Amino acid sequence: MENSNSPWGRISKPLPGSLPASPARIVLIVLALMALWTAYYTIPAESEGVVLRFGKYIRKVPPGLHFKLPYGIDSVIAVPTQRQLKLEFGFATTGATNPDQVGREPGKERSMVTGDLNAALVEWIVQYRITEPQDYLFAVRDPGLTLRDISESVMRTVVGDRTVDEIITIGRQEIEETSLQRMRTLAELYHLGVSISQVQLKNVNPPEPVQPSFNEVNRAQQDRENVINLANGEYNKAVPRARGEADQQIRAAEGYRFKRINEAEGDVAAFSAVLEQYVKAPEVTRTRLYLETMGDVLPQAKQSIVVDETVQQILPMLPLPAAMQEEKR
C-alpha cells in the first residue's frame, strides 16, 4: 500500500511475512563467515604445522588440509621440517629464502686468527634441517641466530688450534669433521631442535695485503714438493733395480756354492769307492785306473812320434798325417 500524501513521495511498506534486515542479523552473518574462514588451514608439503591454543602448544599436524577452532582461539605455525636449510658465513648469496642464511657482517665473520698467530679469511657453510618444531619455536629465543653464534664460535675455536698451512692445505677435511661434531653436541645441549648434516669450508685465503707473499711461499712449497716427488721417483726406480740385481747375484752365488759342494761330495764319494776297491785289489785297481786315465788323456793329445837318436830322417819310415803336412806348408 502506498501513501501518496507523504512529503517523501511513495513509501513502500514491508510485505507481510518478510523479516527486516536488522543489525544483529548482519553481525551473525559476518561472524559465521569469519568462523568458516578461520576454521581451516593448509600446511605445505615440505612443512609441519604447530597448533597453539591461546599461545600454548597443543600438537603437531602433518601436511595437508586441517581444521581448528576459529576466531584466533587456535593459531598455526608452519615449520619447514623437510627443507634443507643452510647458513652462510663470510659471504652472501643473493635470493636467499632463509632469513638466517646470511649474517649481518660477513666481512667480520670470515676474519680469523690461526694457532700460529697468522690471519686468515675463512668462508664456510652449515647445512641443517629442523627436526623438532616444538623445540625450535619455544626452547630458544631466535634459534637461527643462536645456531649462527654456535657455528661461528666453534669454527673460530677449531681454526685457532691449527696453523695457517693446515687450514689452507691438508687440514680442511679434519676441520670440517671436528666442527660438525662440536656443533651437533652444542645444538643438542641447547635443545635447538635441528639436525646439522654438513659443515663445508668454501674459501680459505690469507688477507689481501699479504696474499702475494703467501702465493710465493705456496709456489716455493709446490716446487719443493715437485723436487721431492721427482727424487722419490728416481729412488723408486733405482733402489728396486739394485735390490733385484743384488738378489740375482746372491742367488747365483748360492747356486754356485751348492754346485761346488755337490761336486766335492760326489768326488769324495767316488774316491771313497775307488779306495775301497783299491784296498781289496791294489794291482787290478791300479791297472784299471791307469787304463781309464790314458783313455781320457790320449784322445786329447796331439800325434807324437818317438824315434831313436840315430834316426836322421823319418819320412821314409811312415807317412805323415794330412794335418801335419798342412802345418808344414
Side-chain angles (χ1 to χ4, degrees):
M1 184 180 295
E2 298 179 357
N3 187 3
S4 60
N5 297 325
S6 174
W8 305 102
R10 296 180 179 181
I11 299 176
S12 299
K13 294 183 179 181
L15 297 175
S18 62
L19 296 177
S22 62
R25 185 178 181 184
I26 296 175
V27 170
L28 290 176
I29 294 174
V30 172
L31 291 177
L33 293 176
M34 290 180 60
L36 292 175
W37 182 258
T38 58
Y40 72 92
Y41 59 95
T42 303
I43 302 299
E46 61 182 8
S47 303
E48 290 184 3
V50 177
V51 181
L52 307 179
R53 182 164 297 167
F54 297 113
K56 182 180 179 181
Y57 172 79
I58 299 299
R59 66 183 182 275
K60 291 189 303 183
V61 293
L65 180 63
H66 303 276
F67 295 93
K68 61 183 179 65
L69 297 179
Y71 305 117
I73 298 175
D74 288 352
S75 59
V76 181
I77 302 176
V79 182
T81 56
Q82 302 300 322
R83 185 189 305 174
Q84 189 76 15
L85 305 175
K86 69 176 180 178
L87 303 177
E88 297 176 346
F89 297 86
F91 67 101
T93 302
T94 58
T97 58
N98 183 11
D100 301 320
Q101 179 171 332
V102 180
R104 297 187 181 93
E105 296 178 331
K108 291 184 179 180
E109 288 178 344
R110 64 178 182 173
S111 299
M112 298 187 183
V113 178
T114 61
D116 54 354
L117 301 182
N118 285 313
L121 303 179
V122 183
E123 299 175 359
W124 74 98
I125 290 177
V126 176
Q127 295 184 356
Y128 67 99
R129 189 170 60 86
I130 301 174
T131 55
E132 296 294 337
Q134 181 181 359
D135 291 341
Y136 185 80
L137 293 176
F138 308 116
V140 178
R141 182 182 299 175
D142 295 331
L145 296 179
T146 303
L147 183 58
R148 290 193 66 90
D149 294 339
I150 290 174
S151 302
E152 185 176 355
S153 175
V154 169
M155 185 60 67
R156 290 186 182 277
T157 302
V158 175
V159 170
D161 292 337
R162 287 160 177 81
T163 64
V164 66
D165 292 333
E166 293 177 343
I167 298 171
I168 296 178
T169 56
I170 61 175
R172 295 172 63 95
Q173 183 176 1
E174 182 184 358
I175 291 174
E176 293 174 351
E177 294 176 355
T178 304
S179 301
L180 178 60
Q181 295 299 327
R182 294 185 181 182
M183 290 180 191
R184 285 177 175 175
T185 302
L186 292 176
E188 183 178 358
L189 179 64
Y190 293 157
H191 301 284
L192 293 182
V194 299
S195 174
I196 303 174
S197 59
Q198 186 180 14
V199 176
Q200 181 182 6
L201 290 177
K202 298 295 289 184
N203 295 318
V204 181
N205 298 310
E208 294 181 359
V210 300
Q211 194 163 4
S213 300
F214 192 84
N215 292 335
E216 292 181 1
V217 173
N218 286 336
R219 284 194 295 269
Q221 291 179 349
Q222 292 176 359
D223 295 338
R224 174 177 173 269
E225 294 295 331
N226 291 333
V227 173
I228 292 175
N229 293 332
L230 292 175
N232 289 332
E234 293 296 329
Y235 172 84
N236 293 330
K237 288 192 299 184
V239 171
R241 183 172 60 248
R243 288 176 178 173
E245 293 176 355
D247 291 338
Q248 183 179 2
Q249 294 292 333
I250 292 173
R251 292 179 181 177
E254 290 178 350
Y256 181 75
R257 178 173 68 89
F258 290 132
K259 177 184 175 182
R260 294 296 297 168
I261 291 173
N262 293 332
E263 289 177 353
E265 291 177 350
D267 294 340
V268 170
F271 181 80
S272 299
V274 172
L275 178 60
E276 183 180 357
Q277 297 299 324
Y278 181 80
V279 172
K280 293 179 180 179
E283 294 297 333
V284 177
T285 304
R286 186 182 299 111
T287 303
R288 182 172 62 83
L289 291 175
Y290 175 78
L291 294 176
E292 291 177 354
T293 303
M294 295 305 294
D296 294 335
V297 172
L298 290 178
Q300 299 178 1
K302 295 182 179 180
Q303 186 175 5
S304 300
I305 301 173
V306 180
V307 297
D308 189 76
E309 294 179 355
T310 59
V311 177
Q312 298 296 326
Q313 294 180 357
I314 62 173
L315 289 177
M317 298 180 60
L318 68 146
L320 295 176
M324 296 180 66
Q325 293 179 2
E326 290 294 333
E327 290 180 358
K328 287 184 177 181
R329 290 178 184 177

